[in-house]
């Protein structure tokens, strides 16, 4: 059974804080993704990674960075959190040869 | 900009009826299509994938694909209240990427 875990289900941070969201998958997937989901806007891709130390910008990378030092772990970093980054953050992973993505449980981040 | 369009709903059907969910996409190079179900406050879970034209059945679910019309649909037979959720259509971007493009989802409400 594929398992994707995220470090927190709920997180409350203050404006200007540096925020780390961690994602770990246990199926040796090459690809990992970070999305945010907002009402009416659907899932929007922030960053993705095809391999260790590789990263690619998605559709809305501004204000975010990522790190992938190990194959199983993909971190999303908010360098200086702002209120407009309040959202549900979803991590996903997939095999290169496969096509479907498997999602973690999500982190609901509130920035005050 | 590659797009996936869905009617946001809500689509309301009585228990036991057939629910029909529709999706259109703009990327003619897309070859892989997915339906995810998302309960309120939870992350998306894959329920169907389809890769070739025609119908694919899995239990009460049938996915239909028409690449010429760039149209994907999901039929849910004998709808149950537990099917009440948001259904996300996702299309794998054409080419060598592993990026999924998501629609904003259709909210399905099955009335007991």
């Amino acid at each position: 059974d594929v398992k994707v875990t995220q470090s927190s289900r709920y997180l409350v941070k203050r404006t200007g804080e540096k925020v780390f969201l961690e994602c770990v998958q246990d199926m040796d997937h090459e690809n990992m993704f970070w999305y945010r989901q907002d009402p009416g806007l659907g899932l929007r891709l922030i960053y993705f990674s095809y391999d260790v130390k590789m990263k690619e910008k998605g559709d809305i990378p501004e204000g975010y960075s990522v790190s992938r030092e190990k194959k199983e772990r993909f971190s999303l970093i908010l360098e200086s959190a702002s209120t407009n980054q309040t959202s549900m953050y979803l991590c996903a992973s997939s095999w290169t040869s496969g096509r479907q993505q498997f999602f973690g449980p999500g982190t609901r981040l509130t920035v005050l | 900009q590659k797009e996936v369009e869905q009617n946001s709903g809500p689509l309301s059907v009585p228990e036991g009826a057939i629910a029909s969910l529709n999706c259109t996409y703009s990327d003619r190079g897309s070859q892989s299509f997915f339906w995810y179900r998302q309960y309120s406050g939870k992350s998306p879970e894959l329920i169907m994938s389809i890769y070739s034209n025609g119908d694919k059945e899995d239990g009460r679910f049938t996915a239909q694909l028409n690449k010429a019309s760039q149209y994907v649909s999901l039929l849910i037979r004998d709808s149950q209240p537990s099917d009440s959720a948001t259904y996300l259509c996702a299309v794998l971007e054409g080419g060598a990427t592993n990026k999924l493009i998501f629609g904003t989802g259709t909210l399905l409400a099955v009335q007991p």
Side-chain angles (χ1 to χ4, degrees), chain A residues 9 31 33 35 37 40-43 45 48 50 57-59 88 90 94-96 98-106 108, chain B residues 1 31-34 36 38 40-46 49 51 86 88 92-93 96-105:
Chain A
R9 288 302 311 276
N31 306 317
F33 306 84
Y35 296 89
Q37 187 175 32
L41 297 177
L43 279 156
L45 182 64
F48 59 104
Y50 290 136
K57 291 181 180 178
D59 301 317
M88 169 71 95
L90 290 159
S94 71
W95 287 289
T96 295
R99 291 162 276 196
Q100 66 218 47
Q101 293 180 14
F102 299 88
F103 283 85
R108 185 163 293 283
Chain B
Q1 180 75 4
Q31 298 296 322
S32 303
F33 307 86
F34 306 92
Y36 285 83
Q38 186 175 24
S40 180
K42 302 292 186 184
S43 62
E45 57 175 324
L46 183 72
S49 58
Y51 308 114
T86 296
L88 303 172
L92 190 70
E93 194 176 71
T97 77
N98 284 279
K99 290 171 62 177
L100 284 178
I101 306 166
F102 285 86
T104 54

Coordinates of all heavy atoms in Angstrom, one line a residue, chain A residues 9 31 33 35 37 40-43 45 48 50 57-59 88 90 94-96 98-106 108, chain B residues 1 31-34 36 38 40-46 49 51 86 88 92-93 96-105:
Chain A
R9 N -1.0 18.0 10.3 CA -2.3 18.1 9.7 C -2.8 19.6 9.8 O -3.4 20.1 8.9 CB -3.3 17.3 10.4 CG -3.2 15.8 10.2 CD -3.3 15.4 8.7 NE -4.4 16.0 8.0 CZ -5.6 15.4 8.0 NH1 -5.9 14.3 8.7 NH2 -6.6 16.0 7.4
N31 N 9.0 10.7 -8.6 CA 8.4 12.1 -8.7 C 7.6 12.5 -7.4 O 6.9 11.7 -6.8 CB 7.3 12.1 -9.8 CG 7.9 11.6 -11.1 OD1 9.0 12.0 -11.5 ND2 7.2 10.8 -11.8
F33 N 5.5 16.0 -5.6 CA 4.8 17.2 -6.0 C 4.3 18.0 -4.8 O 3.8 17.3 -3.8 CB 3.6 16.9 -6.9 CG 3.9 16.1 -8.1 CD1 4.0 14.7 -8.0 CD2 4.1 16.7 -9.3 CE1 4.2 13.9 -9.1 CE2 4.4 15.9 -10.5 CZ 4.4 14.5 -10.3
Y35 N 1.2 20.8 -4.0 CA 0.1 21.6 -4.4 C -0.5 22.4 -3.3 O -0.3 22.1 -2.1 CB -1.0 20.7 -4.9 CG -0.8 19.8 -6.1 CD1 -0.2 18.5 -5.9 CD2 -1.1 20.2 -7.4 CE1 0.0 17.7 -7.0 CE2 -0.9 19.4 -8.4 CZ -0.3 18.1 -8.2 OH -0.1 17.3 -9.3
Q37 N -4.4 24.0 -2.3 CA -5.8 23.9 -2.8 C -6.6 25.0 -2.1 O -6.6 25.0 -0.8 CB -6.4 22.5 -2.5 CG -7.8 22.3 -3.0 CD -8.3 20.9 -2.8 OE1 -8.0 20.2 -1.9 NE2 -9.1 20.4 -3.8
G40 N -12.7 27.2 -5.0 CA -12.9 27.8 -6.2 C -11.7 27.8 -7.2 O -11.9 28.1 -8.4
L41 N -10.5 27.5 -6.7 CA -9.3 27.6 -7.5 C -8.8 26.2 -7.8 O -7.9 26.0 -8.6 CB -8.3 28.5 -6.9 CG -8.6 29.9 -6.7 CD1 -7.5 30.6 -6.0 CD2 -8.9 30.6 -8.0
G42 N -9.3 25.2 -7.1 CA -8.8 23.9 -7.3 C -7.4 23.6 -6.8 O -6.8 24.4 -6.0
L43 N -6.8 22.6 -7.4 CA -5.4 22.2 -7.0 C -4.4 23.0 -7.9 O -4.5 22.9 -9.2 CB -5.2 20.7 -7.2 CG -5.7 19.8 -6.1 CD1 -5.9 18.5 -6.6 CD2 -4.6 19.8 -5.0
L45 N -0.3 23.6 -8.8 CA 1.0 23.0 -8.6 C 2.0 24.1 -8.2 O 2.2 25.1 -8.9 CB 1.5 22.3 -9.9 CG 2.8 21.6 -9.8 CD1 2.8 20.4 -8.8 CD2 3.1 21.0 -11.2
F48 N 7.6 20.7 -8.3 CA 7.7 19.3 -8.3 C 9.2 18.9 -8.5 O 10.0 19.7 -8.8 CB 6.8 18.7 -9.4 CG 7.1 19.2 -10.8 CD1 7.7 18.4 -11.7 CD2 6.6 20.5 -11.2 CE1 7.9 18.9 -13.0 CE2 6.8 20.9 -12.5 CZ 7.4 20.1 -13.4
Y50 N 11.7 15.5 -10.0 CA 11.8 14.2 -10.7 C 12.8 13.3 -10.1 O 12.9 12.1 -10.4 CB 12.2 14.4 -12.2 CG 11.1 15.1 -13.0 CD1 11.4 16.1 -13.9 CD2 9.8 14.7 -12.9 CE1 10.4 16.6 -14.7 CE2 8.8 15.2 -13.7 CZ 9.1 16.2 -14.6 OH 8.1 16.8 -15.3
K57 N 9.8 24.4 -11.2 CA 8.7 25.3 -10.8 C 7.4 24.8 -11.4 O 7.4 24.4 -12.6 CB 9.0 26.7 -11.3 CG 10.1 27.4 -10.5 CD 10.4 28.8 -11.0 CE 11.5 29.4 -10.3 NZ 11.8 30.8 -10.8
G58 N 6.4 24.9 -10.6 CA 5.0 24.7 -11.1 C 4.4 26.0 -11.6 O 5.0 26.8 -12.1
D59 N 3.1 26.1 -11.3 CA 2.3 27.2 -11.8 C 2.4 28.4 -10.9 O 2.2 29.5 -11.3 CB 0.9 26.8 -12.0 CG 0.7 25.7 -13.0 OD1 1.4 25.7 -14.1 OD2 0.0 24.7 -12.8
M88 N -4.7 24.9 2.1 CA -4.5 23.5 2.3 C -3.3 23.1 1.4 O -3.4 23.4 0.2 CB -5.7 22.7 2.0 CG -5.5 21.2 1.9 SD -5.2 20.4 3.5 CE -6.8 19.9 3.8
L90 N -1.0 20.1 -0.2 CA -1.1 18.7 -0.5 C 0.2 18.2 -1.1 O 0.7 18.9 -2.1 CB -2.3 18.4 -1.4 CG -3.6 18.5 -0.7 CD1 -4.7 18.7 -1.7 CD2 -3.9 17.3 0.2
S94 N 4.6 9.9 -7.4 CA 4.2 9.0 -8.4 C 5.5 8.3 -9.0 O 6.6 8.9 -8.8 CB 3.5 9.6 -9.6 OG 4.3 10.5 -10.3
W95 N 5.4 7.2 -9.6 CA 6.5 6.6 -10.3 C 6.6 7.3 -11.7 O 5.7 7.8 -12.2 CB 6.2 5.1 -10.6 CG 6.4 4.2 -9.4 CD1 7.5 3.9 -8.7 CD2 5.3 3.6 -8.7 NE1 7.2 3.0 -7.7 CE2 5.9 2.8 -7.7 CE3 3.9 3.5 -8.9 CZ2 5.1 2.0 -6.8 CZ3 3.1 2.7 -8.0 CH2 3.7 2.0 -7.0
T96 N 7.8 7.2 -12.2 CA 8.0 7.8 -13.5 C 7.3 7.0 -14.6 O 6.7 7.5 -15.5 CB 9.5 7.9 -13.9 OG1 10.2 8.8 -13.0 CG2 9.8 8.3 -15.3
G98 N 4.7 5.1 -14.0 CA 3.3 5.1 -13.7 C 2.8 6.5 -14.0 O 3.6 7.4 -14.4
R99 N 1.5 6.7 -13.8 CA 1.0 8.0 -14.2 C 0.1 8.6 -13.1 O 0.0 9.8 -13.0 CB 0.2 7.9 -15.5 CG 1.1 7.5 -16.7 CD 0.3 6.9 -17.9 NE 0.1 5.5 -17.7 CZ -0.2 4.7 -18.7 NH1 -0.4 5.2 -19.9 NH2 -0.4 3.4 -18.6
Q100 N -0.5 7.8 -12.3 CA -1.3 8.4 -11.3 C -0.5 8.9 -10.1 O 0.6 8.4 -9.8 CB -2.3 7.4 -10.8 CG -1.7 6.2 -10.0 CD -2.4 4.9 -10.4 OE1 -2.7 4.6 -11.5 NE2 -2.7 4.1 -9.4
Q101 N -1.0 9.9 -9.4 CA -0.4 10.4 -8.3 C -1.1 10.0 -7.0 O -2.3 9.9 -7.0 CB -0.3 12.0 -8.3 CG 0.6 12.5 -9.5 CD 0.7 14.0 -9.6 OE1 0.2 14.7 -8.7 NE2 1.2 14.4 -10.7
F102 N -0.3 9.8 -5.9 CA -0.9 9.4 -4.7 C -0.7 10.6 -3.7 O 0.4 11.1 -3.6 CB -0.2 8.2 -4.1 CG -0.4 7.0 -5.0 CD1 0.5 6.7 -6.0 CD2 -1.4 6.1 -4.8 CE1 0.4 5.6 -6.9 CE2 -1.6 5.0 -5.6 CZ -0.7 4.7 -6.7
F103 N -1.7 10.9 -3.0 CA -1.7 12.1 -2.2 C -1.5 11.8 -0.7 O -2.0 10.8 -0.2 CB -3.0 12.9 -2.3 CG -3.1 13.7 -3.6 CD1 -3.5 13.1 -4.8 CD2 -2.7 15.0 -3.6 CE1 -3.6 13.8 -5.9 CE2 -2.7 15.7 -4.8 CZ -3.2 15.1 -6.0
G104 N -0.8 12.7 0.0 CA -0.8 12.7 1.4 C -2.0 13.3 2.0 O -2.9 13.7 1.3
P105 N -2.2 13.3 3.4 CA -3.4 13.7 4.0 C -3.6 15.2 4.0 O -4.7 15.7 4.2 CB -3.3 13.2 5.4 CG -1.8 13.1 5.6 CD -1.2 12.7 4.3
G106 N -2.6 16.0 3.7 CA -2.7 17.5 3.6 C -2.3 18.1 4.9 O -2.4 17.6 6.0
R108 N -3.3 21.8 6.7 CA -4.0 23.1 6.6 C -3.2 24.1 7.4 O -3.1 24.1 8.6 CB -5.4 22.9 7.2 CG -6.2 24.2 7.0 CD -7.7 24.0 7.3 NE -8.3 23.1 6.2 CZ -8.7 23.5 5.0 NH1 -8.4 24.7 4.6 NH2 -9.2 22.7 4.2
Chain B
Q1 N -2.4 28.1 -22.2 CA -2.6 27.5 -20.9 C -3.5 26.3 -21.0 O -4.6 26.4 -21.5 CB -3.3 28.6 -20.0 CG -3.6 28.1 -18.6 CD -2.3 28.1 -17.7 OE1 -1.3 28.4 -18.1 NE2 -2.5 27.6 -16.5
Q31 N -2.8 11.8 -22.8 CA -3.1 10.3 -23.0 C -3.6 9.6 -21.8 O -4.1 8.5 -21.9 CB -1.8 9.6 -23.5 CG -1.2 10.2 -24.8 CD -2.2 10.0 -26.0 OE1 -2.8 8.9 -26.1 NE2 -2.2 11.0 -26.9
S32 N -3.6 10.3 -20.7 CA -4.0 9.6 -19.4 C -4.9 10.5 -18.6 O -4.6 11.7 -18.5 CB -2.7 9.3 -18.6 OG -1.8 8.5 -19.3
F33 N -6.0 9.9 -18.1 CA -7.0 10.6 -17.5 C -7.5 9.9 -16.2 O -7.5 8.7 -16.1 CB -8.2 10.7 -18.4 CG -7.8 11.2 -19.8 CD1 -7.3 10.4 -20.8 CD2 -7.9 12.6 -20.1 CE1 -6.9 10.8 -22.0 CE2 -7.4 13.1 -21.3 CZ -6.9 12.2 -22.3
F34 N -7.8 10.7 -15.2 CA -8.0 10.2 -13.9 C -9.2 10.9 -13.2 O -9.5 12.1 -13.5 CB -6.8 10.4 -13.0 CG -5.5 9.9 -13.5 CD1 -4.7 10.7 -14.3 CD2 -5.1 8.6 -13.3 CE1 -3.5 10.2 -14.9 CE2 -4.0 8.1 -13.9 CZ -3.2 8.9 -14.7
Y36 N -10.5 11.5 -9.3 CA -10.3 11.5 -7.9 C -11.5 11.9 -7.2 O -12.3 12.8 -7.6 CB -9.1 12.5 -7.5 CG -7.7 12.0 -7.9 CD1 -7.3 12.3 -9.2 CD2 -6.9 11.4 -7.0 CE1 -6.0 11.9 -9.5 CE2 -5.6 11.0 -7.3 CZ -5.1 11.3 -8.6 OH -3.9 10.9 -8.9
Q38 N -12.8 13.4 -3.5 CA -12.3 14.2 -2.3 C -13.4 14.5 -1.4 O -14.3 15.3 -1.7 CB -11.6 15.4 -2.8 CG -10.9 16.2 -1.6 CD -10.1 17.4 -2.1 OE1 -10.3 17.9 -3.1 NE2 -9.1 17.7 -1.3
S40 N -14.9 16.2 2.1 CA -14.6 17.5 2.7 C -13.5 17.4 3.8 O -13.6 16.5 4.7 CB -15.9 18.0 3.3 OG -15.7 19.3 3.9
G41 N -12.5 18.2 3.7 CA -11.4 18.2 4.7 C -10.4 17.1 4.5 O -9.4 17.0 5.3
K42 N -10.5 16.3 3.4 CA -9.6 15.2 3.2 C -8.8 15.4 1.9 O -9.1 16.3 1.1 CB -10.4 13.8 3.1 CG -11.2 13.5 4.3 CD -10.3 13.2 5.5 CE -11.2 12.7 6.7 NZ -10.4 12.5 7.9
S43 N -7.9 14.5 1.6 CA -7.1 14.6 0.4 C -7.7 13.8 -0.7 O -8.5 12.9 -0.4 CB -5.7 14.2 0.7 OG -5.6 12.9 1.0
P44 N -7.4 14.1 -2.0 CA -8.0 13.3 -3.1 C -7.5 11.9 -3.1 O -6.4 11.6 -2.7 CB -7.4 14.1 -4.3 CG -7.0 15.4 -3.8 CD -6.6 15.2 -2.4
E45 N -8.4 11.0 -3.4 CA -8.1 9.6 -3.6 C -8.5 9.1 -5.0 O -9.6 9.5 -5.5 CB -8.7 8.7 -2.5 CG -10.2 8.8 -2.5 CD -10.9 7.9 -1.5 OE1 -10.4 6.7 -1.3 OE2 -11.9 8.2 -0.9
L46 N -7.6 8.4 -5.6 CA -7.9 7.9 -7.0 C -9.0 6.9 -7.0 O -9.0 5.9 -6.3 CB -6.6 7.3 -7.6 CG -6.7 6.9 -9.1 CD1 -6.8 8.1 -10.0 CD2 -5.6 6.0 -9.4
S49 N -8.9 5.4 -13.5 CA -8.0 5.9 -14.5 C -8.5 5.3 -15.8 O -9.0 4.2 -15.9 CB -6.6 5.5 -14.2 OG -6.5 4.1 -14.1
Y51 N -7.2 5.3 -20.2 CA -6.1 5.7 -21.1 C -6.5 5.6 -22.6 O -5.8 6.1 -23.4 CB -4.9 4.8 -20.8 CG -4.4 4.8 -19.4 CD1 -4.5 3.6 -18.6 CD2 -4.0 6.0 -18.8 CE1 -4.1 3.6 -17.3 CE2 -3.6 6.0 -17.4 CZ -3.7 4.8 -16.7 OH -3.3 4.8 -15.4
T86 N -16.6 15.8 -3.5 CA -16.2 16.5 -4.7 C -15.3 15.6 -5.6 O -14.5 14.9 -5.1 CB -15.3 17.7 -4.4 OG1 -16.1 18.6 -3.6 CG2 -14.8 18.4 -5.6
L88 N -12.8 15.2 -8.7 CA -11.8 15.9 -9.5 C -11.4 15.2 -10.7 O -11.0 14.0 -10.6 CB -10.6 16.2 -8.6 CG -10.7 16.9 -7.3 CD1 -9.4 16.9 -6.5 CD2 -11.2 18.3 -7.6
L92 N -3.2 14.0 -17.5 CA -1.8 14.0 -17.5 C -1.3 14.9 -18.7 O -1.8 14.6 -19.9 CB -1.2 12.6 -17.6 CG 0.3 12.5 -17.5 CD1 0.7 12.8 -16.0 CD2 0.8 11.1 -17.9
E93 N -0.5 15.8 -18.5 CA -0.1 16.7 -19.5 C 0.7 15.9 -20.6 O 1.5 15.0 -20.3 CB 0.9 17.8 -18.9 CG 1.2 19.0 -19.8 CD 2.0 20.0 -19.0 OE1 3.2 19.7 -18.8 OE2 1.5 21.0 -18.7
A96 N 6.7 14.7 -22.1 CA 7.5 13.9 -21.2 C 7.3 14.2 -19.8 O 7.9 13.6 -18.9 CB 8.9 14.0 -21.6
T97 N 6.4 15.1 -19.5 CA 6.2 15.5 -18.1 C 5.4 14.5 -17.3 O 4.7 13.7 -17.9 CB 5.6 16.9 -17.9 OG1 4.2 16.8 -18.2 CG2 6.2 17.9 -18.9
N98 N 5.4 14.6 -16.0 CA 4.5 13.8 -15.2 C 3.5 14.7 -14.5 O 3.0 14.3 -13.4 CB 5.3 12.9 -14.2 CG 5.9 11.7 -14.9 OD1 5.3 10.7 -15.1 ND2 7.2 11.9 -15.2
K99 N 3.2 15.8 -15.1 CA 2.3 16.8 -14.4 C 0.9 16.5 -14.7 O 0.5 16.2 -15.8 CB 2.7 18.2 -14.9 CG 4.0 18.7 -14.4 CD 4.4 20.0 -15.1 CE 3.4 21.1 -14.9 NZ 3.8 22.4 -15.5
L100 N 0.1 16.5 -13.6 CA -1.4 16.4 -13.8 C -2.0 17.8 -13.8 O -1.6 18.7 -13.0 CB -2.0 15.6 -12.6 CG -1.8 14.1 -12.6 CD1 -2.4 13.5 -11.4 CD2 -2.4 13.5 -13.9
I101 N -2.9 18.0 -14.7 CA -3.7 19.2 -14.7 C -5.1 18.9 -14.1 O -5.8 18.0 -14.6 CB -3.9 19.8 -16.1 CG1 -2.5 20.0 -16.7 CG2 -4.6 21.1 -16.0 CD1 -2.5 20.2 -18.2
F102 N -5.5 19.6 -13.1 CA -6.7 19.2 -12.4 C -7.8 20.2 -12.7 O -7.6 21.4 -12.9 CB -6.6 19.3 -10.8 CG -5.8 18.1 -10.3 CD1 -4.4 18.1 -10.2 CD2 -6.5 17.0 -9.8 CE1 -3.7 17.1 -9.7 CE2 -5.8 16.0 -9.3 CZ -4.4 16.0 -9.2
G103 N -9.1 19.7 -12.8 CA -10.2 20.6 -12.9 C -10.5 21.0 -11.4 O -9.9 20.6 -10.5
T104 N -11.4 22.0 -11.3 CA -11.8 22.5 -10.0 C -12.7 21.6 -9.2 O -13.0 21.9 -8.1 CB -12.3 23.9 -10.1 OG1 -13.4 23.9 -11.0 CG2 -11.3 24.9 -10.6
G105 N -13.3 20.6 -9.9 CA -14.1 19.6 -9.2 C -15.6 19.9 -9.3 O -16.0 21.0 -9.5

